[in-house]
Amino acid sequence: MISPAESTKSIRLEILRQDTPSSQGYWQTFDVPITPASNVTSLLRTISGRPVTSDGRNVAPPAYEASCLEEVCGSCTMVINGRVRQACSTLVRRLMAESPGSPITIEPMTKFPVIRDLIVDRSRMFENLKRIKAWIPIDGSFNLGAGPKITPEQQHTMYPLSRCMSCGSCLEACPQFTRDNHFLGAQIFSMARYYNMHPNGKPDADARMEVLMGDGGITDCGNSQNCVRVCPKDIPLTESIGVIGRSATVYSIKKFFSK
Amino acid sequence: MTSAMEGTSANASVAPDYSSRRGQIHFWLRRIHSLAGLAFGGFVAVHLMINATGINGVMYQQEVNKIHDLGPNLAFVEFTFIFLPLLIHVLYGLYATGAGARWNAVHYNYGGNVRYTLQRVTGLILLVFLAYHLATLHRWGLALIYDLTHWRALSSFPWFRPHFAYASTVDAIKTPYGKNPWFWANIISVVLYLLGVWAAVFHMANGLWTAAIAWGLTVTASAQKRWGNVCLAVGIVFAIVGTIAWASFTILGHPAPLPPRHAHGHGTMVERGPVYSAPLRRAIPQLSAYSYGISARTAIETAGAAGRPV
C-alpha cells in the first residue's frame, strides 16, 4: 500500500466502469500517487482506499478481482492500455515507458459479459473445459492402482501446457473469438492436446476430437496467432493448434473410412 | 474463474451443440475451401507465368495458342479446375470473413495478426478485382453479354481477343477507356491491375502458410517459421513474375492497331471462341502480325514453328 505522503508523483487512470451486467459503461478518471514499484492492482487498491475522481467527486470504489498477486491465478486479467494483461504483473513504470505522458486506460475484458466494473464472467471457459472432458478418470469405487508412467520427454512437452490458468488472455486477443459466437479458442485446443497426451486421458481422445471438429471448433481458427503472443504463461498455444489440426486430419480420414 | 458467479451469468444462453452435424459439415467445408484455394492458387501461378511472357508479344501469342488449342475442352478445363474451385473458395471465404470476427490489428499489431487481417482484406480486394478482370477480359464476361444482346454501349469496349493476344490485352488493360493512357479511368485500370496482382500473390503465399497449419503439416513454431520462409520465397518470386506480367501490358505495353471485330468476316463469337474455324486459322498469322506490329513473314514462321497449319 502506498501512502500518499511518501509519493512525489501521481498518474492519471481512466477506468471503464459499469454498474450492472445490463447497464451502459462509462469512463471515470482518477489521479493516483505512484511509486517506482507500483503495479495496476496496487493503483486500484489505492483508489479503493479513497475513491475520489480527479474532478473531486466521491464515487463507489471500482470493483475488480485480484487473488494471487503473482500472475498464477489469472483473476485480475483486464484490458490495460488496449491490451489484455494481468493487473498484478503490469508495472506502471513499464506502461509509462510504453506511452509516456498519457493516462493509463483500464477496461474490463471485452469478450466476456461484465458483471460489474472490471469483473467479468468467464464461465464460458469452464463450460468449454467440461465439453472437451478436460479431466482424467481417476479412482472410482475401487483403487485403480498406479497409473502408467510418463516419460521425461512427454513430461517436457506436457508441463508447459499444464501451466494454463484459464485467465482468458488468448481469447480476449483472438479476432475469431467473439461474445456471440461459439468458438472454443486456443485455451481449449491446448488443454485438449494436454489431456489427449495424458496416458489416462487418451481413452477420451476421440470424444474430444468430435467436439473439436464440431461447431466452433478448430475449423474456426484463423491463424492470427495473437494467442501465443499474449499468453502470460508462455504456453505454445499455436503448436497445440497445429497438433489439433493434425489430429483432426487423421481423425476425419479414420472416421470417413472406418466409422 | 468466476464459477461462483454462474448464477449471474449473462452468457448462459442456448448451449451450443459442439458435435452437431452442422459443425461436421462446417469442418469439411473449411477443408474443401483450403483445397480449392490450392487449386486456384496453382492456376494463378501458371496464369502469371504465361502472362509474364507478354514481355515478348510473339512468345505470348504462342502460349495463348497452346491454351486455345484445347478447343471445346477449354471450357470444361476452365470450369472444373478454375471457376468451380474459385466459386467454392470465394463463397466460404466470404462467410468466414463475415462470421462475426473482430479484427484487432491496431491494438495487437503482431506480424501474424497483420497477415491475418491482410488475408481478409486482400480477399475482398480480389473479389472486386476478379469481377472487373473477368467482365472485361474473359469471353464469359461482357463479351458474352455483347454477343447475346448486341448492346451498343459494349460494342466499342475492348476485350481479350485470343488471335491478337498481345495487342488486345494491352488495349483492354492499359487503354480500355480511350486511346489516351493518361486518362484517369485508364490510370485506375492500370493501378487496379497492379493491386490485383500483388493482392493475389500475397493471398496465395499467406494461404499456403496457413493451409499447412490447418491440415497439421506444420506443428511446431520452428516448422511454421521454416515453411513461412518457403512461402515468403514463393511470394517474392511470384510478385516479381506478376509485376513483369503487369508491366508487359501496362508501362511497357505498346498499343498496336487492331482490326475491327468483324473485319475478317466472322462473328465475334467465332473469333474469340475456343473453336477455331479453318479459314480463320489460316488467317491468324497475318492478323497476328497486324496486331503486334511485326512482319507477316515472322508471324508465319512463328506459327509454323509451333506446328500450326499456315
Side-chain angles (χ1 to χ4, degrees):
Chain A
M1 190 68 192
I2 307 148
S3 149
E6 283 168 14
S7 66
T8 51
K9 290 165 74 178
S10 78
I11 191 155
R12 178 154 287 197
L13 234 69
E14 288 173 359
I15 302 178
L16 181 60
R17 306 196 53 175
Q18 186 175 327
D19 296 339
T20 67
S22 54
S23 61
Q24 276 291 314
Y26 57 94
W27 289 89
Q28 249 172 21
T29 310
F30 299 87
D31 290 312
V32 194
I34 52 166
T35 70
S38 290
N39 59 43
V40 172
T41 300
S42 75
L43 297 189
L44 289 170
R45 206 154 51 169
T46 306
I47 293 174
S48 296
R50 186 176 166 275
V52 180
T53 61
S54 47
D55 51 6
R57 281 185 302 129
N58 280 304
V59 293
Y64 66 96
E65 281 186 290
S67 180
C68 73
L69 303 182
E70 54 175 3
E71 205 187 63
V72 292
C73 77
S75 65
C76 66
T77 307
M78 51 188 78
V79 178
I80 300 166
N81 280 3
R83 286 197 186 200
V84 65
R85 30 196 156 190
Q86 278 70 49
C88 68
S89 56
T90 303
L91 299 179
V92 174
R93 204 175 64 233
R94 295 242 179 93
L95 289 177
M96 289 168 78
E98 249 178 49
S99 45
S102 49
I104 297 172
T105 62
I106 301 179
E107 300 158 74
M109 296 170 87
T110 61
K111 302 292 177 74
F112 301 97
V114 172
I115 294 169
R116 180 171 176 168
D117 294 337
L118 302 171
I119 301 177
V120 294
D121 177 2
R122 280 171 283 186
S123 48
R124 175 174 170 184
M125 298 175 76
F126 189 57
E127 293 305 316
N128 286 343
L129 284 171
K130 288 196 271 183
R131 276 182 195 109
I132 58 148
K133 300 180 191 291
W135 59 73
I136 52 165
I138 52 167
D139 298 349
S141 54
F142 60 95
N143 186 352
L144 295 173
K149 285 204 165 57
I150 294 175
T151 66
E153 288 76 17
Q154 281 174 309
Q155 198 269 346
H156 187 76
T157 308
M158 287 167 70
Y159 181 69
L161 305 179
S162 74
R163 286 194 301 236
C164 180
M165 56 187 182
S166 297
C167 66
S169 296
C170 55
L171 309 176
E172 175 65 27
C174 173
Q176 297 286 109
F177 187 95
T178 66
R179 266 170 81 158
D180 46 16
N181 69 15
H182 295 154
F183 187 38
L184 293 163
Q187 169 229 10
I188 290 300
F189 301 138
S190 201
M191 291 317 282
R193 176 191 179 197
Y194 175 78
Y195 286 104
N196 281 358
M197 279 189 80
H198 197 288
N200 283 348
K202 267 188 190 132
D204 284 327
D206 281 4
R208 285 188 196 102
M209 288 318 298
E210 287 286 340
V211 176
L212 295 172
M213 288 161 62
D215 197 16
I218 191 72
T219 312
D220 284 341
C221 174
N223 294 307
S224 78
Q225 304 205 332
N226 285 354
C227 51
V228 76
R229 301 294 293 267
V230 298
C231 178
K233 306 312 286 181
D234 294 325
I235 301 170
L237 294 168
T238 46
E239 197 175 291
S240 297
I241 289 169
V243 167
I244 296 300
R246 180 176 287 189
S247 306
T249 304
V250 173
Y251 183 75
S252 62
I253 294 169
K254 188 175 111 182
K255 198 178 164 189
F256 187 86
F257 288 106
S258 59
K259 277 210 172 187
Chain B
M1 297 298 294
T2 52
S3 47
M5 308 275 186
E6 256 176 319
T8 60
S9 168
N11 75 341
S13 51
V14 192
D17 179 8
Y18 280 105
S19 50
S20 68
R21 183 148 192 87
R22 205 188 88 116
Q24 309 281 323
I25 292 168
H26 187 198
F27 172 83
W28 282 109
L29 273 180
R30 172 71 185 80
R31 292 292 170 103
I32 291 167
H33 166 84
S34 179
L35 290 177
L38 289 176
F40 188 74
F43 157 72
V44 170
V46 173
H47 185 39
L48 290 179
M49 286 192 290
I50 288 175
N51 284 20
T53 65
I55 274 292
N56 177 326
V58 179
M59 219 197 316
Y60 179 59
Q61 182 69 57
Q62 285 171 351
E63 295 302 323
V64 170
N65 289 346
K66 278 182 207 162
I67 293 166
H68 284 258
D69 276 350
L70 284 170
N73 296 328
L74 180 60
F76 172 77
V77 170
E78 277 181 301
F79 181 79
T80 315
F81 298 103
I82 301 169
F83 285 108
L84 189 63
L86 175 65
L87 189 70
I88 294 170
H89 194 77
V90 165
L91 288 180
Y92 180 83
L94 277 176
Y95 163 75
T97 303
R102 274 181 47 159
W103 299 358
N104 56 10
V106 174
H107 282 307
Y108 301 99
N109 55 352
Y110 308 121
N113 200 24
V114 171
R115 287 193 298 275
Y116 163 91
T117 312
L118 276 179
Q119 186 72 359
R120 281 143 188 84
V121 170
T122 52
L124 295 173
I125 290 174
L126 285 168
L127 198 62
V128 175
F129 170 71
L130 285 182
Y132 178 77
H133 179 51
L134 290 174
T136 56
L137 272 172
H138 199 270
R139 65 182 186 286
W140 295 342
L142 294 179
L144 181 64
I145 294 175
Y146 179 72
D147 277 332
L148 296 176
T149 63
H150 289 276
W151 187 17
R152 284 181 70 89
L154 295 177
S155 66
S156 62
F157 196 86
W159 50 62
F160 181 64
R161 299 164 71 183
H163 303 148
F164 318 101
Y166 179 78
S168 67
T169 308
V170 171
D171 204 26
I173 292 176
K174 189 180 187 178
T175 52
Y177 306 99
K179 293 293 160 214
N180 176 12
W182 297 107
F183 180 58
W184 62 270
N186 285 337
I187 291 175
I188 287 179
S189 168
V190 166
V191 170
L192 183 64
Y193 267 90
L194 186 62
L195 193 67
V197 167
W198 286 353
V201 170
F202 174 85
H203 199 87
M204 180 171 78
N206 192 54
L208 270 182
W209 184 72
T210 52
I213 302 172
W215 288 90
L217 293 174
T218 53
V219 167
T220 62
S222 51
Q224 289 174 8
K225 190 157 180 58
R226 217 175 292 132
W227 177 240
N229 288 336
V230 174
C231 295
L232 180 65
V234 169
I236 289 171
V237 166
F238 279 100
I240 293 170
V241 170
T243 307
I244 292 172
W246 169 81
S248 303
F249 301 108
T250 55
I251 50 174
L252 303 177
H254 45 85
L258 274 161
R261 276 197 276 259
H262 300 282
H264 37 81
H266 297 275
T268 53
M269 192 70 106
V270 175
E271 183 198 309
R272 286 175 294 98
V275 185
Y276 271 109
S277 68
L280 185 62
R281 200 170 173 125
R282 260 178 259 116
I284 291 167
Q286 288 81 356
L287 292 171
S288 303
Y290 186 34
S291 75
Y292 43 70
I294 55 171
S295 75
R297 189 176 175 76
T298 313
I300 292 165
E301 282 164 1
T302 308
R308 315 173 64 77
V310 177

